[in-house]
Short mmCIF file of all heavy atoms in Angstrom, two decimals:
data_model
loop_
_atom_site.label_atom_id
_atom_site.label_comp_id
_atom_site.label_asym_id
_atom_site.label_seq_id
_atom_site.Cartn_x
_atom_site.Cartn_y
_atom_site.Cartn_z
N ALA F 1 -30.82 142.04 113.35
CA ALA F 1 -31.40 142.68 112.16
C ALA F 1 -32.73 143.30 112.57
O ALA F 1 -33.62 142.59 113.06
CB ALA F 1 -31.60 141.67 111.04
N ILE F 2 -32.87 144.60 112.37
CA ILE F 2 -34.08 145.33 112.77
C ILE F 2 -34.73 145.91 111.53
O ILE F 2 -34.05 146.50 110.68
CB ILE F 2 -33.76 146.46 113.78
CG1 ILE F 2 -33.17 145.87 115.06
CG2 ILE F 2 -35.01 147.27 114.10
CD1 ILE F 2 -31.68 145.88 115.11
N PHE F 3 -36.05 145.77 111.44
CA PHE F 3 -36.84 146.27 110.31
C PHE F 3 -37.86 147.23 110.88
O PHE F 3 -38.64 146.87 111.76
CB PHE F 3 -37.49 145.10 109.58
CG PHE F 3 -36.50 144.06 109.12
CD1 PHE F 3 -36.07 143.06 109.99
CD2 PHE F 3 -35.98 144.11 107.84
CE1 PHE F 3 -35.13 142.12 109.59
CE2 PHE F 3 -35.05 143.17 107.43
CZ PHE F 3 -34.62 142.18 108.30
N ALA F 4 -37.87 148.47 110.37
CA ALA F 4 -38.67 149.50 111.03
C ALA F 4 -39.08 150.61 110.08
O ALA F 4 -38.46 150.81 109.03
CB ALA F 4 -37.87 150.09 112.20
N THR F 5 -40.12 151.33 110.48
CA THR F 5 -40.45 152.58 109.82
C THR F 5 -39.53 153.67 110.38
O THR F 5 -39.12 153.60 111.55
CB THR F 5 -41.92 152.96 110.06
OG1 THR F 5 -42.19 152.91 111.46
CG2 THR F 5 -42.85 152.02 109.32
N PRO F 6 -39.18 154.67 109.60
CA PRO F 6 -38.17 155.64 110.05
C PRO F 6 -38.59 156.48 111.25
O PRO F 6 -37.76 156.83 112.08
CB PRO F 6 -37.94 156.51 108.81
CG PRO F 6 -39.15 156.33 107.96
CD PRO F 6 -39.62 154.93 108.21
N GLN F 7 -39.89 156.80 111.36
CA GLN F 7 -40.31 157.67 112.44
C GLN F 7 -40.09 157.03 113.80
O GLN F 7 -39.73 157.69 114.78
CB GLN F 7 -41.79 158.04 112.28
CG GLN F 7 -42.26 159.16 113.20
CD GLN F 7 -41.55 160.47 112.94
OE1 GLN F 7 -41.47 160.92 111.81
NE2 GLN F 7 -41.01 161.08 113.99
N VAL F 8 -40.29 155.71 113.88
CA VAL F 8 -40.10 155.00 115.15
C VAL F 8 -38.64 155.08 115.58
O VAL F 8 -38.33 155.37 116.74
CB VAL F 8 -40.55 153.53 115.02
CG1 VAL F 8 -40.11 152.71 116.21
CG2 VAL F 8 -42.05 153.45 114.87
N ILE F 9 -37.72 154.82 114.64
CA ILE F 9 -36.30 154.88 114.97
C ILE F 9 -35.90 156.31 115.34
O ILE F 9 -35.14 156.54 116.29
CB ILE F 9 -35.45 154.37 113.79
CG1 ILE F 9 -35.84 152.93 113.42
CG2 ILE F 9 -33.97 154.45 114.13
CD1 ILE F 9 -35.56 151.91 114.49
N LYS F 10 -36.42 157.28 114.61
CA LYS F 10 -36.11 158.68 114.92
C LYS F 10 -36.54 159.03 116.34
O LYS F 10 -35.77 159.63 117.11
CB LYS F 10 -36.82 159.60 113.91
CG LYS F 10 -36.66 161.09 114.21
CD LYS F 10 -37.45 161.93 113.21
CE LYS F 10 -37.45 163.40 113.61
NZ LYS F 10 -38.21 164.24 112.65
N ASN F 11 -37.76 158.66 116.71
CA ASN F 11 -38.25 158.96 118.06
C ASN F 11 -37.38 158.30 119.12
O ASN F 11 -37.06 158.91 120.15
CB ASN F 11 -39.70 158.49 118.21
CG ASN F 11 -40.66 159.33 117.40
OD1 ASN F 11 -40.28 160.32 116.79
ND2 ASN F 11 -41.92 158.93 117.38
N ASP F 12 -37.00 157.05 118.89
CA ASP F 12 -36.19 156.33 119.88
C ASP F 12 -34.80 156.95 120.02
O ASP F 12 -34.26 157.04 121.13
CB ASP F 12 -36.06 154.86 119.48
CG ASP F 12 -37.34 154.07 119.72
OD1 ASP F 12 -38.25 154.61 120.38
OD2 ASP F 12 -37.43 152.92 119.25
N LEU F 13 -34.21 157.38 118.90
CA LEU F 13 -32.89 158.01 118.97
C LEU F 13 -32.96 159.34 119.72
O LEU F 13 -32.09 159.65 120.54
CB LEU F 13 -32.33 158.22 117.57
CG LEU F 13 -31.94 156.96 116.79
CD1 LEU F 13 -31.45 157.35 115.39
CD2 LEU F 13 -30.87 156.17 117.52
N ILE F 14 -33.98 160.12 119.43
CA ILE F 14 -34.13 161.41 120.11
C ILE F 14 -34.34 161.22 121.60
O ILE F 14 -33.82 161.98 122.42
CB ILE F 14 -35.29 162.21 119.47
CG1 ILE F 14 -34.87 162.71 118.08
CG2 ILE F 14 -35.70 163.39 120.35
CD1 ILE F 14 -35.97 163.39 117.30
N ALA F 15 -35.08 160.15 121.96
CA ALA F 15 -35.32 159.87 123.38
C ALA F 15 -34.15 159.16 124.03
O ALA F 15 -34.19 158.89 125.24
CB ALA F 15 -36.58 159.01 123.52
N GLY F 16 -33.11 158.82 123.26
CA GLY F 16 -31.91 158.22 123.83
C GLY F 16 -32.07 156.77 124.25
O GLY F 16 -31.36 156.30 125.14
N ARG F 17 -32.99 156.04 123.61
CA ARG F 17 -33.23 154.65 124.02
C ARG F 17 -32.13 153.72 123.54
O ARG F 17 -31.87 152.68 124.14
CB ARG F 17 -34.59 154.18 123.49
CG ARG F 17 -35.74 154.99 124.08
CD ARG F 17 -37.11 154.48 123.67
NE ARG F 17 -38.13 155.35 124.24
CZ ARG F 17 -38.93 156.14 123.54
NH1 ARG F 17 -38.86 156.14 122.22
NH2 ARG F 17 -39.81 156.91 124.14
N TYR F 18 -31.49 154.05 122.43
CA TYR F 18 -30.35 153.29 121.93
C TYR F 18 -29.64 154.18 120.92
O TYR F 18 -30.10 155.30 120.62
CB TYR F 18 -30.77 151.96 121.29
CG TYR F 18 -31.96 152.05 120.35
CD1 TYR F 18 -31.82 152.55 119.06
CD2 TYR F 18 -33.23 151.64 120.75
CE1 TYR F 18 -32.91 152.64 118.19
CE2 TYR F 18 -34.32 151.72 119.90
CZ TYR F 18 -34.16 152.22 118.63
OH TYR F 18 -35.23 152.31 117.78
N SER F 19 -28.53 153.71 120.38
CA SER F 19 -27.79 154.49 119.39
C SER F 19 -27.52 153.61 118.18
O SER F 19 -27.75 152.40 118.20
CB SER F 19 -26.46 155.00 119.97
OG SER F 19 -25.54 153.94 120.10
N LEU F 20 -27.00 154.24 117.12
CA LEU F 20 -26.69 153.53 115.88
C LEU F 20 -25.21 153.22 115.74
O LEU F 20 -24.74 152.90 114.66
CB LEU F 20 -27.16 154.36 114.68
CG LEU F 20 -28.63 154.75 114.63
CD1 LEU F 20 -28.91 155.61 113.39
CD2 LEU F 20 -29.54 153.53 114.64
N ASP F 21 -24.46 153.31 116.85
CA ASP F 21 -23.01 153.21 116.74
C ASP F 21 -22.53 151.86 116.22
O ASP F 21 -21.49 151.78 115.57
CB ASP F 21 -22.34 153.54 118.08
CG ASP F 21 -22.78 152.59 119.19
OD1 ASP F 21 -23.81 151.91 119.04
OD2 ASP F 21 -22.08 152.53 120.22
N ASP F 22 -23.28 150.76 116.47
CA ASP F 22 -22.82 149.45 116.00
C ASP F 22 -23.60 148.95 114.79
O ASP F 22 -23.51 147.77 114.44
CB ASP F 22 -22.90 148.42 117.14
CG ASP F 22 -24.32 148.17 117.61
OD1 ASP F 22 -25.22 148.98 117.26
OD2 ASP F 22 -24.54 147.19 118.34
N VAL F 23 -24.37 149.83 114.13
CA VAL F 23 -25.06 149.45 112.90
C VAL F 23 -24.06 149.49 111.76
O VAL F 23 -23.51 150.56 111.44
CB VAL F 23 -26.26 150.38 112.62
CG1 VAL F 23 -26.85 150.09 111.25
CG2 VAL F 23 -27.33 150.22 113.70
N THR F 24 -23.79 148.34 111.15
CA THR F 24 -22.78 148.28 110.08
C THR F 24 -23.40 148.39 108.69
O THR F 24 -22.67 148.52 107.70
CB THR F 24 -21.97 146.98 110.19
OG1 THR F 24 -22.86 145.87 110.29
CG2 THR F 24 -21.07 147.01 111.40
N LEU F 25 -24.75 148.31 108.60
CA LEU F 25 -25.41 148.57 107.31
C LEU F 25 -26.78 149.18 107.58
O LEU F 25 -27.59 148.60 108.31
CB LEU F 25 -25.58 147.28 106.50
CG LEU F 25 -26.31 147.46 105.15
CD1 LEU F 25 -25.52 148.37 104.22
CD2 LEU F 25 -26.59 146.12 104.48
N LEU F 26 -27.01 150.32 106.98
CA LEU F 26 -28.32 150.97 107.01
C LEU F 26 -28.91 150.91 105.60
O LEU F 26 -28.33 151.47 104.66
CB LEU F 26 -28.21 152.42 107.48
CG LEU F 26 -29.50 153.25 107.42
CD1 LEU F 26 -30.56 152.68 108.35
CD2 LEU F 26 -29.24 154.71 107.75
N VAL F 27 -30.05 150.23 105.46
CA VAL F 27 -30.74 150.13 104.17
C VAL F 27 -31.92 151.09 104.19
O VAL F 27 -32.76 151.03 105.09
CB VAL F 27 -31.22 148.69 103.90
CG1 VAL F 27 -32.00 148.62 102.58
CG2 VAL F 27 -30.04 147.73 103.87
N VAL F 28 -31.99 151.98 103.22
CA VAL F 28 -33.06 152.98 103.12
C VAL F 28 -33.87 152.68 101.87
O VAL F 28 -33.44 152.97 100.75
CB VAL F 28 -32.47 154.41 103.07
CG1 VAL F 28 -33.60 155.43 103.00
CG2 VAL F 28 -31.58 154.67 104.29
N ASP F 29 -35.05 152.08 102.05
CA ASP F 29 -35.90 151.73 100.91
C ASP F 29 -36.79 152.91 100.54
O ASP F 29 -37.14 153.73 101.39
CB ASP F 29 -36.75 150.51 101.25
CG ASP F 29 -37.34 149.87 100.01
OD1 ASP F 29 -36.87 150.18 98.89
OD2 ASP F 29 -38.27 149.05 100.14
N GLU F 30 -37.19 152.98 99.27
CA GLU F 30 -37.96 154.11 98.74
C GLU F 30 -37.27 155.42 99.12
O GLU F 30 -37.87 156.36 99.65
CB GLU F 30 -39.40 154.08 99.27
CG GLU F 30 -40.14 152.77 99.03
CD GLU F 30 -40.39 152.48 97.55
OE1 GLU F 30 -40.16 153.36 96.72
OE2 GLU F 30 -40.81 151.35 97.24
N CYS F 31 -35.97 155.49 98.81
CA CYS F 31 -35.14 156.58 99.30
C CYS F 31 -35.47 157.93 98.66
O CYS F 31 -34.98 158.96 99.13
CB CYS F 31 -33.67 156.25 99.10
SG CYS F 31 -33.16 156.19 97.36
N HIS F 32 -36.29 157.94 97.60
CA HIS F 32 -36.66 159.22 96.99
C HIS F 32 -37.45 160.09 97.96
O HIS F 32 -37.65 161.28 97.71
CB HIS F 32 -37.48 158.99 95.72
CG HIS F 32 -38.68 158.12 95.93
ND1 HIS F 32 -38.65 156.75 95.79
CD2 HIS F 32 -39.96 158.42 96.28
CE1 HIS F 32 -39.86 156.26 96.04
NE2 HIS F 32 -40.66 157.26 96.34
N ARG F 33 -37.87 159.52 99.08
CA ARG F 33 -38.59 160.31 100.10
C ARG F 33 -37.65 161.17 100.95
O ARG F 33 -38.13 161.99 101.75
CB ARG F 33 -39.36 159.38 101.03
CG ARG F 33 -40.59 158.74 100.41
CD ARG F 33 -41.20 157.74 101.37
NE ARG F 33 -42.49 157.25 100.92
CZ ARG F 33 -43.65 157.48 101.55
NH1 ARG F 33 -43.67 158.22 102.63
NH2 ARG F 33 -44.78 156.98 101.10
#
């Protein structure tokens, strides 16, 4: 279970550090943003 701000995950995905292929639930809080 990973808890993060979105910019950090975005940067890591763009840099290819890991992928979201095995994430079975993505929770987006304050989604009006």
Side-chain angles (χ1 to χ4, degrees):
I2 298 96
F3 304 84
T5 52
Q7 191 63 51
V8 169
I9 302 296
K10 175 183 173 180
N11 290 355
D12 286 349
L13 291 178
I14 288 174
R17 297 185 182 113
Y18 45 77
S19 73
L20 303 179
D21 60 342
D22 64 346
V23 172
T24 51
L25 178 63
L26 174 63
V27 177
V28 181
D29 196 15
E30 306 294 350
C31 67
H32 54 270
R33 288 175 171 245

